[in-house]
Amino acid sequence: GASMAIFGIEFLPVFWGFMASFSEFIGGICIILGLFFRPICLLLTITMTVASIRHVSRGDGLRGASHAIEDGIVFLSLIFIGPGKYSLDEWLTSRKR
């Protein structure tokens, strides 16, 4: 949560840490199930952006931030690709019709 200080957000670091943990843990489960796929991918893209900026600002360079950058690109790509036809999102929307 203290990583948000890079952006000038220094209040409630525990909240920001919780939000990052929540998006990574619950987001991983939701991606596997295909539930709330695009919103979760957006949250994970934001989390990986903050992580990669944190690595670069600490002086780790691109080599230190490469994992976060790669994951951010994957999550951003998944927003455009979508969850697929066997996801819970697809199953729930087909039941509404």
Side-chain angles (χ1 to χ4, degrees):
S3 296
M4 293 300 287
I6 297 169
F7 303 105
I9 302 173
E10 297 180 359
F11 60 92
L12 298 173
V14 174
F15 171 75
W16 297 112
F18 172 76
M19 290 307 291
S21 299
F22 178 82
S23 70
E24 290 176 13
F25 180 72
I26 301 298
I29 293 171
C30 286
I31 284 178
I32 290 170
L33 297 174
L35 185 64
F36 305 117
F37 191 82
R38 287 188 169 107
I40 292 294
C41 284
L42 179 64
L43 288 176
L44 288 169
T45 301
I46 293 168
T47 303
M48 293 301 114
T49 302
V50 171
S52 60
I53 291 172
R54 175 70 174 175
H55 280 291
V56 170
S57 71
R58 266 198 290 184
D60 296 340
L62 288 178
R63 183 174 213 149
S66 64
H67 187 68
I69 292 170
E70 290 169 1
D71 286 344
I73 291 170
V74 167
F75 294 129
L76 183 65
S77 301
L78 286 174
I79 291 172
F80 295 108
I81 293 171
K85 65 180 182 179
Y86 297 113
S87 67
L88 285 179
D89 281 345
E90 181 67 28
W91 183 71
L92 291 172
T93 56
S94 68
R95 289 192 69 189
K96 289 181 183 178
R97 293 182 208 161

